[in-house]
């Protein structure tokens, strides 16, 4: 998608689907379906009709954290976005400043040794930038408080200015979210899975669609700079690696729910394309040059033209398919961002392939 294209502000989903009218559920969003450069338009609740028995959905079980906490840097009010907990107990954080409208904007001027007073009485000391790429994210060490307790007692979900109001944490957790033993989670919701409901999952299972749970704890995005993703913690369990292998051997399609699912499963794949149980940190950035080894398709939200995630979409579907889909999304007024509509990318050619414009793909 050309970076010269701009998404109109009115196409930002400002509230969750279930709050847009009486009787609506999370699945009350639209589904744009791409199969090569062919495009079709569906309701998300039609997803079970668009997949086949033997297909596999890779889903991220990471729970969303209440990762935004108010603080003070000297006399200045700041909002700390807690991104990722390091193995040494430090946290990668971003300091932002209130914008006067209930959300935040980017903030410049962080420095080593800066001390932030947190809500609840704890302190946070910035130690070093997370990356040589810039000083947006810093490694910081907490003193006088356990960060997980601070998030539990004083945190709220991270949100950005295109949303209308604060929402409870439950709104930012997907049906697949599971508590982590160490309290870890995602700074921002793995939002591609948000439209799934328990009823829809049951229908998919009844039709022979399988699920492979993986975990990838997402860090904070950079809505202003659209930087590539930083290293993130992930885990692909043995059982999921086995079911992926079985589906591929049987000719089924492996479809990742969200770019986080792609990053996790591709990080666990060897050069031979075999997925093996793995966990730890991944710095993999999926690009068209790197390509994908395991994933045949992708269910994802709609991304800004500058977003690095679009390179992953191109790796799965190709540039022409992505450009065509986004032209249609803009023309048909699809909604963007975490509460918005969803894009299903399926392989152009697969065993027993059907056309994208039919009821079954």
């Amino acid at each position: 998608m050309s970076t010269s294209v701009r998404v109109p502000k009115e196409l930002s989903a400002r509230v969750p689907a279930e709050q847009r009218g009486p009787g609506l559920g999370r699945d009350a969003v639209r589904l744009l379906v791409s199969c090569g450069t062919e495009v079709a338009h569906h309701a998300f609740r039609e997803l079970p009709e668009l997949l086949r028995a033997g297909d596999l959905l890779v889903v991220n079980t990471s729970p969303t954290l209440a990762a935004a906490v108010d603080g003070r840097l000297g006399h200045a009010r700041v909002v700390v976005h807690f991104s990722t907990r390091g193995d040494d107990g430090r946290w990668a954080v971003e300091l932002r400043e209130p914008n006067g409208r209930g959300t935040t904007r980017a903030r410049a001027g962080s420095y080593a040794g800066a001390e932030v007073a947190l809500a609840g009485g704890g302190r946070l000391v910035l130690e070093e930038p997370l990356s040589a790429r810039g000083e947006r994210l810093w490694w910081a060490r907490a003193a006088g408080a356990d960060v997980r307790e601070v998030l539990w007692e004083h945190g709220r979900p991270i949100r950005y200015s295109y949303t209308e109001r604060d929402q409870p944490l439950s709104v930012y957790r997907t049906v697949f979210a599971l508590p982590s033993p160490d309290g870890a989670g995602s700074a921002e919701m793995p939002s591609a899975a948000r439209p799934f409901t328990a009823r829809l999952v049951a229908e998919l299972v009844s039709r022979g669609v399988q699920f492979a749970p993986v975990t990838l704890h997402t860090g904070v995005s950079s809505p202003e700079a659209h930087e590539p993703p930083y290293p993130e913690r992930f885990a692909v369990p043995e059982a999921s690696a086995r079911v992926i292998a079985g589906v591929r051997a049987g000719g089924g399609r492996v479809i990742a729910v969200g770019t986080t699912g792609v990053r996790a499963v591709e990080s666990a794949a060897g050069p031979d394309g075999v997925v093996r149980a793995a966990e730890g940190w991944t710095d993999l950035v999926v690009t068209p040059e790197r390509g994908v080894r395991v994933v045949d398709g992708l269910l994802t939200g709609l991304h800004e033209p500058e977003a690095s995630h679009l390179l992953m979409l191109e790796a799965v579907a190709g540039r022409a398919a992505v450009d065509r889909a986004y032209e249609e999304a803009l023309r048909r007024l699809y909604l963007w961002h975490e509460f918005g509509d969803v894009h299903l990318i399926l392989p152009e050619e697969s065993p027993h392939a059907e056309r994208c414009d039919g009821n079954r793909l």
Side-chain angles (χ1 to χ4, degrees):
M1 185 180 179
S2 172
T3 56
S4 64
V5 175
R6 290 293 179 266
V7 179
K9 290 183 178 180
E10 59 267 25
L11 295 187
S12 294
R14 296 178 62 79
V15 296
E18 64 272 21
Q19 296 178 16
R20 295 177 200 152
L24 297 180
R26 285 184 171 219
D27 57 358
V29 297
R30 300 164 71 189
L31 180 64
L32 177 70
V33 182
S34 296
C35 186
T37 55
E38 293 187 37
V39 176
H41 305 277
H42 294 270
F44 184 78
R45 58 175 60 97
E46 296 177 73
L47 181 64
E49 301 170 23
L50 302 173
L51 300 179
R52 301 194 294 253
D55 284 343
L56 174 72
L57 294 175
V58 177
V59 297
N60 187 1
T61 63
S62 179
T64 310
L65 301 175
V69 177
D70 292 325
R72 285 193 172 274
L73 180 59
H75 297 293
R77 293 176 58 213
V78 296
V79 178
V80 182
H81 285 181
F82 286 87
S83 179
T84 306
R85 185 177 185 272
D87 293 335
D88 60 0
R90 297 187 299 175
W91 282 79
V93 302
E94 179 183 11
L95 301 190
R96 296 177 67 87
E97 60 184 33
N99 63 3
R101 299 187 300 275
T103 56
T104 62
R105 55 179 168 246
R107 180 186 184 279
S110 297
Y111 56 92
E115 187 171 303
V116 179
L118 298 173
R123 294 179 296 111
L124 194 67
V125 180
L126 304 190
E127 293 190 348
E128 59 183 332
L130 182 67
S131 167
R133 285 183 290 183
E135 297 185 352
R136 182 178 69 89
L137 289 172
W138 285 73
W139 283 116
R141 194 175 297 278
D146 184 306
V147 169
R148 287 167 291 192
E149 293 180 2
V150 171
L151 300 185
W152 179 260
E153 294 178 10
H154 304 283
R156 60 186 179 276
I158 289 173
R159 76 176 182 97
Y160 295 108
S161 58
Y162 51 79
T163 57
E164 187 172 287
R165 58 181 176 270
D166 282 347
Q167 299 283 350
L169 184 58
S170 59
V171 166
Y172 287 90
R173 286 194 167 172
T174 75
V175 71
F176 303 111
L178 296 173
S180 297
D182 61 356
S186 289
E188 297 181 6
M189 172 176 55
S191 56
R194 190 183 189 281
F196 283 87
T197 64
R199 181 174 181 174
L200 189 69
V201 171
E203 184 177 352
L204 286 162
V205 171
S206 73
R207 288 173 177 260
V209 176
Q210 299 183 69
F211 290 82
V214 299
T215 302
L216 186 134
H217 298 311
T218 66
V220 297
S221 63
S222 54
E224 295 87 12
H226 296 289
E227 300 160 350
Y230 286 85
E232 294 166 320
R233 289 172 57 191
F234 83 105
V236 176
E238 178 65 37
S240 293
R242 285 199 304 267
V243 73
I244 291 169
V247 166
R248 297 188 75 202
R253 300 176 295 187
V254 177
I255 300 166
V257 176
T259 56
T260 61
V262 177
R263 195 181 202 198
V265 77
E266 292 288 331
S267 295
D272 56 1
V274 176
V275 176
R276 299 172 176 85
E279 63 179 315
W281 292 86
T282 178
D283 59 2
L284 175 66
V285 178
V286 178
T287 64
E289 293 72 27
R290 190 268 186 188
V292 289
R293 298 169 179 171
V294 180
V295 171
D296 301 303
L298 172 62
L299 181 71
T300 183
L302 295 167
H303 304 283
E304 294 285 354
E306 306 91 344
S308 61
H309 292 96
L310 287 176
L311 294 176
M312 182 183 290
L313 272 63
E314 291 180 23
V316 175
R319 178 66 181 266
V322 174
D323 284 349
R324 171 71 177 129
Y326 274 69
E327 289 170 5
E328 277 291 289
L330 287 168
R331 187 176 71 85
R332 297 287 287 264
L333 304 181
Y334 276 69
L335 295 180
W336 257 250
H337 301 304
E338 64 266 30
F339 299 142
D341 296 316
V342 193
H343 183 197
L344 174 62
I345 299 172
L346 291 174
E348 186 171 10
E349 295 181 1
S350 59
H352 315 297
E354 295 90 357
R355 290 174 57 82
C356 268
D357 56 5
N359 284 329
R360 289 182 60 78
L361 305 174

